[in-house]
PDB file of all heavy atoms in Angstrom:
ATOM      1  N   ASN A   1     -10.831 -11.094  13.644  1.00 98.00           N
ATOM      2  CA  ASN A   1     -11.762 -12.071  13.085  1.00 98.00           C
ATOM      3  C   ASN A   1     -11.067 -13.275  12.456  1.00 98.00           C
ATOM      4  O   ASN A   1     -11.714 -14.098  11.798  1.00 98.00           O
ATOM      5  CB  ASN A   1     -12.663 -11.389  12.055  1.00 98.00           C
ATOM      6  CG  ASN A   1     -13.713 -10.514  12.713  1.00 98.00           C
ATOM      7  OD1 ASN A   1     -14.483 -10.973  13.534  1.00 98.00           O
ATOM      8  ND2 ASN A   1     -13.723  -9.227  12.356  1.00 98.00           N
ATOM      9  N   LYS A   2      -9.731 -13.350  12.664  1.00 98.00           N
ATOM     10  CA  LYS A   2      -8.945 -14.514  12.247  1.00 98.00           C
ATOM     11  C   LYS A   2      -9.013 -14.801  10.742  1.00 98.00           C
ATOM     12  O   LYS A   2      -9.135 -15.960  10.313  1.00 98.00           O
ATOM     13  CB  LYS A   2      -9.368 -15.754  13.048  1.00 98.00           C
ATOM     14  CG  LYS A   2      -9.105 -15.622  14.547  1.00 98.00           C
ATOM     15  CD  LYS A   2      -9.515 -16.867  15.318  1.00 98.00           C
ATOM     16  CE  LYS A   2      -9.040 -16.827  16.760  1.00 98.00           C
ATOM     17  NZ  LYS A   2      -9.442 -15.624  17.509  1.00 98.00           N
ATOM     18  N   SER A   3      -8.942 -13.751   9.953  1.00 98.00           N
ATOM     19  CA  SER A   3      -8.847 -13.933   8.501  1.00 98.00           C
ATOM     20  C   SER A   3      -7.509 -14.584   8.154  1.00 98.00           C
ATOM     21  O   SER A   3      -6.511 -14.409   8.851  1.00 98.00           O
ATOM     22  CB  SER A   3      -8.964 -12.584   7.787  1.00 98.00           C
ATOM     23  OG  SER A   3     -10.249 -12.023   7.970  1.00 98.00           O
ATOM     24  N   LYS A   4      -7.500 -15.320   7.036  1.00 98.00           N
ATOM     25  CA  LYS A   4      -6.268 -15.980   6.592  1.00 98.00           C
ATOM     26  C   LYS A   4      -5.267 -14.985   6.022  1.00 98.00           C
ATOM     27  O   LYS A   4      -4.057 -15.138   6.188  1.00 98.00           O
ATOM     28  CB  LYS A   4      -6.586 -16.997   5.486  1.00 98.00           C
ATOM     29  CG  LYS A   4      -7.322 -18.242   5.908  1.00 98.00           C
ATOM     30  CD  LYS A   4      -7.518 -19.130   4.678  1.00 98.00           C
ATOM     31  CE  LYS A   4      -8.336 -20.366   5.014  1.00 98.00           C
ATOM     32  NZ  LYS A   4      -8.582 -21.189   3.794  1.00 98.00           N
ATOM     33  N   LYS A   5      -5.797 -13.978   5.324  1.00 98.00           N
ATOM     34  CA  LYS A   5      -4.907 -13.130   4.541  1.00 98.00           C
ATOM     35  C   LYS A   5      -5.512 -11.739   4.378  1.00 98.00           C
ATOM     36  O   LYS A   5      -6.723 -11.585   4.218  1.00 98.00           O
ATOM     37  CB  LYS A   5      -4.716 -13.761   3.150  1.00 98.00           C
ATOM     38  CG  LYS A   5      -3.762 -13.045   2.205  1.00 98.00           C
ATOM     39  CD  LYS A   5      -2.324 -13.270   2.621  1.00 98.00           C
ATOM     40  CE  LYS A   5      -1.339 -12.782   1.586  1.00 98.00           C
ATOM     41  NZ  LYS A   5      -1.319 -13.595   0.376  1.00 98.00           N
ATOM     42  N   TYR A   6      -4.649 -10.737   4.411  1.00 98.00           N
ATOM     43  CA  TYR A   6      -5.044  -9.352   4.149  1.00 98.00           C
ATOM     44  C   TYR A   6      -4.204  -8.841   2.990  1.00 98.00           C
ATOM     45  O   TYR A   6      -2.971  -8.902   3.015  1.00 98.00           O
ATOM     46  CB  TYR A   6      -4.819  -8.485   5.382  1.00 98.00           C
ATOM     47  CG  TYR A   6      -5.306  -7.046   5.244  1.00 98.00           C
ATOM     48  CD1 TYR A   6      -6.554  -6.672   5.712  1.00 98.00           C
ATOM     49  CD2 TYR A   6      -4.504  -6.068   4.654  1.00 98.00           C
ATOM     50  CE1 TYR A   6      -7.006  -5.359   5.598  1.00 98.00           C
ATOM     51  CE2 TYR A   6      -4.941  -4.764   4.526  1.00 98.00           C
ATOM     52  CZ  TYR A   6      -6.188  -4.413   5.006  1.00 98.00           C
ATOM     53  OH  TYR A   6      -6.634  -3.119   4.884  1.00 98.00           O
ATOM     54  N   PHE A   7      -4.869  -8.325   1.977  1.00 98.00           N
ATOM     55  CA  PHE A   7      -4.191  -7.763   0.812  1.00 98.00           C
ATOM     56  C   PHE A   7      -4.557  -6.288   0.676  1.00 98.00           C
ATOM     57  O   PHE A   7      -5.717  -5.913   0.892  1.00 98.00           O
ATOM     58  CB  PHE A   7      -4.611  -8.490  -0.474  1.00 98.00           C
ATOM     59  CG  PHE A   7      -4.218  -7.752  -1.721  1.00 98.00           C
ATOM     60  CD1 PHE A   7      -2.952  -7.914  -2.260  1.00 98.00           C
ATOM     61  CD2 PHE A   7      -5.103  -6.871  -2.344  1.00 98.00           C
ATOM     62  CE1 PHE A   7      -2.572  -7.199  -3.398  1.00 98.00           C
ATOM     63  CE2 PHE A   7      -4.729  -6.158  -3.474  1.00 98.00           C
ATOM     64  CZ  PHE A   7      -3.460  -6.326  -4.002  1.00 98.00           C
ATOM     65  N   CYS A   8      -3.600  -5.457   0.303  1.00 97.00           N
ATOM     66  CA  CYS A   8      -3.923  -4.061  -0.006  1.00 97.00           C
ATOM     67  C   CYS A   8      -3.042  -3.547  -1.133  1.00 97.00           C
ATOM     68  O   CYS A   8      -1.977  -4.100  -1.426  1.00 97.00           O
ATOM     69  CB  CYS A   8      -3.810  -3.164   1.225  1.00 97.00           C
ATOM     70  SG  CYS A   8      -2.189  -3.146   2.000  1.00 97.00           S
ATOM     71  N   VAL A   9      -3.514  -2.497  -1.771  1.00 95.00           N
ATOM     72  CA  VAL A   9      -2.830  -1.921  -2.925  1.00 95.00           C
ATOM     73  C   VAL A   9      -1.912  -0.790  -2.480  1.00 95.00           C
ATOM     74  O   VAL A   9      -2.335   0.125  -1.776  1.00 95.00           O
ATOM     75  CB  VAL A   9      -3.847  -1.396  -3.957  1.00 95.00           C
ATOM     76  CG1 VAL A   9      -3.142  -0.586  -5.041  1.00 95.00           C
ATOM     77  CG2 VAL A   9      -4.587  -2.552  -4.599  1.00 95.00           C
ATOM     78  N   SER A  10      -0.673  -0.882  -2.906  1.00 93.00           N
ATOM     79  CA  SER A  10       0.251   0.229  -2.755  1.00 93.00           C
ATOM     80  C   SER A  10       0.330   0.928  -4.114  1.00 93.00           C
ATOM     81  O   SER A  10      -0.651   0.988  -4.838  1.00 93.00           O
ATOM     82  CB  SER A  10       1.621  -0.274  -2.282  1.00 93.00           C
ATOM     83  OG  SER A  10       2.488   0.823  -2.050  1.00 93.00           O
ATOM     84  N   THR A  11       1.480   1.450  -4.478  1.00 87.00           N
ATOM     85  CA  THR A  11       1.632   2.154  -5.749  1.00 87.00           C
ATOM     86  C   THR A  11       3.095   2.154  -6.153  1.00 87.00           C
ATOM     87  O   THR A  11       3.988   2.080  -5.289  1.00 87.00           O
ATOM     88  CB  THR A  11       1.134   3.615  -5.635  1.00 87.00           C
ATOM     89  OG1 THR A  11       1.451   4.324  -6.845  1.00 87.00           O
ATOM     90  CG2 THR A  11       1.784   4.340  -4.467  1.00 87.00           C
ATOM     91  N   ASP A  12       3.354   2.239  -7.455  1.00 86.00           N
ATOM     92  CA  ASP A  12       4.728   2.415  -7.916  1.00 86.00           C
ATOM     93  C   ASP A  12       5.332   3.691  -7.324  1.00 86.00           C
ATOM     94  O   ASP A  12       6.546   3.793  -7.146  1.00 86.00           O
ATOM     95  CB  ASP A  12       4.771   2.466  -9.448  1.00 86.00           C
ATOM     96  CG  ASP A  12       3.882   3.557 -10.027  1.00 86.00           C
ATOM     97  OD1 ASP A  12       2.670   3.505  -9.800  1.00 86.00           O
ATOM     98  OD2 ASP A  12       4.409   4.464 -10.699  1.00 86.00           O
ATOM     99  N   LYS A  13       4.482   4.651  -7.000  1.00 87.00           N
ATOM    100  CA  LYS A  13       4.955   5.935  -6.470  1.00 87.00           C
ATOM    101  C   LYS A  13       5.475   5.815  -5.039  1.00 87.00           C
ATOM    102  O   LYS A  13       6.017   6.781  -4.492  1.00 87.00           O
ATOM    103  CB  LYS A  13       3.839   6.974  -6.560  1.00 87.00           C
ATOM    104  CG  LYS A  13       3.427   7.285  -8.000  1.00 87.00           C
ATOM    105  CD  LYS A  13       2.219   8.198  -8.068  1.00 87.00           C
ATOM    106  CE  LYS A  13       1.812   8.483  -9.512  1.00 87.00           C
ATOM    107  NZ  LYS A  13       1.325   7.283 -10.225  1.00 87.00           N
ATOM    108  N   ALA A  14       5.318   4.618  -4.410  1.00 88.00           N
ATOM    109  CA  ALA A  14       5.863   4.391  -3.073  1.00 88.00           C
ATOM    110  C   ALA A  14       7.351   4.052  -3.121  1.00 88.00           C
ATOM    111  O   ALA A  14       8.031   4.096  -2.093  1.00 88.00           O
ATOM    112  CB  ALA A  14       5.095   3.262  -2.379  1.00 88.00           C
ATOM    113  N   ALA A  15       7.847   3.689  -4.306  1.00 90.00           N
ATOM    114  CA  ALA A  15       9.275   3.409  -4.470  1.00 90.00           C
ATOM    115  C   ALA A  15       9.992   4.742  -4.674  1.00 90.00           C
ATOM    116  O   ALA A  15       9.776   5.424  -5.671  1.00 90.00           O
ATOM    117  CB  ALA A  15       9.494   2.484  -5.669  1.00 90.00           C
ATOM    118  N   ASN A  16      10.829   5.125  -3.698  1.00 90.00           N
ATOM    119  CA  ASN A  16      11.505   6.427  -3.744  1.00 90.00           C
ATOM    120  C   ASN A  16      10.505   7.553  -4.001  1.00 90.00           C
ATOM    121  O   ASN A  16      10.577   8.259  -5.021  1.00 90.00           O
ATOM    122  CB  ASN A  16      12.599   6.438  -4.824  1.00 90.00           C
ATOM    123  CG  ASN A  16      13.700   5.441  -4.550  1.00 90.00           C
ATOM    124  OD1 ASN A  16      14.188   5.342  -3.423  1.00 90.00           O
ATOM    125  ND2 ASN A  16      14.089   4.671  -5.562  1.00 90.00           N
ATOM    126  N   PRO A  17       9.556   7.762  -3.095  1.00 91.00           N
ATOM    127  CA  PRO A  17       8.458   8.707  -3.355  1.00 91.00           C
ATOM    128  C   PRO A  17       8.924  10.155  -3.483  1.00 91.00           C
ATOM    129  O   PRO A  17       9.873  10.580  -2.818  1.00 91.00           O
ATOM    130  CB  PRO A  17       7.555   8.543  -2.128  1.00 91.00           C
ATOM    131  CG  PRO A  17       8.459   8.032  -1.052  1.00 91.00           C
ATOM    132  CD  PRO A  17       9.455   7.162  -1.759  1.00 91.00           C
ATOM    133  N   VAL A  18       8.219  10.897  -4.368  1.00 90.00           N
ATOM    134  CA  VAL A  18       8.489  12.334  -4.517  1.00 90.00           C
ATOM    135  C   VAL A  18       7.221  13.152  -4.276  1.00 90.00           C
ATOM    136  O   VAL A  18       7.259  14.374  -4.333  1.00 90.00           O
ATOM    137  CB  VAL A  18       9.065  12.673  -5.910  1.00 90.00           C
ATOM    138  CG1 VAL A  18      10.363  11.924  -6.159  1.00 90.00           C
ATOM    139  CG2 VAL A  18       8.054  12.389  -7.013  1.00 90.00           C
ATOM    140  N   ASN A  19       6.090  12.482  -4.035  1.00 91.00           N
ATOM    141  CA  ASN A  19       4.846  13.196  -3.754  1.00 91.00           C
ATOM    142  C   ASN A  19       4.179  12.608  -2.521  1.00 91.00           C
ATOM    143  O   ASN A  19       4.528  11.516  -2.051  1.00 91.00           O
ATOM    144  CB  ASN A  19       3.903  13.166  -4.963  1.00 91.00           C
ATOM    145  CG  ASN A  19       3.636  11.756  -5.473  1.00 91.00           C
ATOM    146  OD1 ASN A  19       3.137  10.910  -4.739  1.00 91.00           O
ATOM    147  ND2 ASN A  19       3.985  11.501  -6.724  1.00 91.00           N
ATOM    148  N   MET A  20       3.216  13.347  -1.987  1.00 91.00           N
ATOM    149  CA  MET A  20       2.592  12.955  -0.725  1.00 91.00           C
ATOM    150  C   MET A  20       1.749  11.691  -0.874  1.00 91.00           C
ATOM    151  O   MET A  20       1.642  10.893   0.050  1.00 91.00           O
ATOM    152  CB  MET A  20       1.743  14.105  -0.185  1.00 91.00           C
ATOM    153  CG  MET A  20       2.525  15.376   0.095  1.00 91.00           C
ATOM    154  SD  MET A  20       3.763  15.182   1.389  1.00 91.00           S
ATOM    155  CE  MET A  20       2.744  15.343   2.856  1.00 91.00           C
ATOM    156  N   MET A  21       1.138  11.500  -2.050  1.00 91.00           N
ATOM    157  CA  MET A  21       0.360  10.284  -2.259  1.00 91.00           C
ATOM    158  C   MET A  21       1.271   9.064  -2.191  1.00 91.00           C
ATOM    159  O   MET A  21       0.991   8.092  -1.476  1.00 91.00           O
ATOM    160  CB  MET A  21      -0.370  10.338  -3.610  1.00 91.00           C
ATOM    161  CG  MET A  21      -1.430   9.238  -3.773  1.00 91.00           C
ATOM    162  SD  MET A  21      -0.791   7.599  -4.139  1.00 91.00           S
ATOM    163  CE  MET A  21      -0.387   7.806  -5.873  1.00 91.00           C
ATOM    164  N   GLY A  22       2.379   9.095  -2.938  1.00 91.00           N
ATOM    165  CA  GLY A  22       3.317   7.980  -2.911  1.00 91.00           C
ATOM    166  C   GLY A  22       3.885   7.752  -1.520  1.00 91.00           C
ATOM    167  O   GLY A  22       4.030   6.608  -1.069  1.00 91.00           O
ATOM    168  N   ALA A  23       4.191   8.844  -0.822  1.00 94.00           N
ATOM    169  CA  ALA A  23       4.736   8.731   0.531  1.00 94.00           C
ATOM    170  C   ALA A  23       3.705   8.151   1.498  1.00 94.00           C
ATOM    171  O   ALA A  23       4.042   7.361   2.388  1.00 94.00           O
ATOM    172  CB  ALA A  23       5.216  10.094   1.021  1.00 94.00           C
ATOM    173  N   SER A  24       2.423   8.523   1.323  1.00 96.00           N
ATOM    174  CA  SER A  24       1.380   7.972   2.201  1.00 96.00           C
ATOM    175  C   SER A  24       1.275   6.461   2.020  1.00 96.00           C
ATOM    176  O   SER A  24       1.054   5.720   2.988  1.00 96.00           O
ATOM    177  CB  SER A  24       0.025   8.637   1.916  1.00 96.00           C
ATOM    178  OG  SER A  24      -0.559   8.176   0.707  1.00 96.00           O
ATOM    179  N   LYS A  25       1.459   5.988   0.792  1.00 95.00           N
ATOM    180  CA  LYS A  25       1.422   4.550   0.535  1.00 95.00           C
ATOM    181  C   LYS A  25       2.686   3.860   1.071  1.00 95.00           C
ATOM    182  O   LYS A  25       2.635   2.711   1.510  1.00 95.00           O
ATOM    183  CB  LYS A  25       1.257   4.289  -0.962  1.00 95.00           C
ATOM    184  CG  LYS A  25      -0.145   4.570  -1.484  1.00 95.00           C
ATOM    185  CD  LYS A  25      -1.147   3.557  -0.956  1.00 95.00           C
ATOM    186  CE  LYS A  25      -2.470   3.620  -1.683  1.00 95.00           C
ATOM    187  NZ  LYS A  25      -3.403   2.558  -1.240  1.00 95.00           N
TER     188      LYS A  25
END
């Protein structure tokens, strides 16, 4: 649909993840 920008939320837990939630992000 030719949007200008897509934004989404990750998590601090994605930095060197130790749990599945952080790893999924």
Side-chain angles (χ1 to χ4, degrees):
N1 286 304
K2 297 181 170 54
S3 294
K4 289 181 184 177
K5 183 74 170 290
Y6 185 96
F7 166 85
C8 59
V9 170
S10 184
T11 173
D12 56 299
K13 296 174 181 66
N16 297 315
V18 301
N19 54 59
M20 300 296 279
M21 192 283 284
S24 75
K25 286 291 193 175

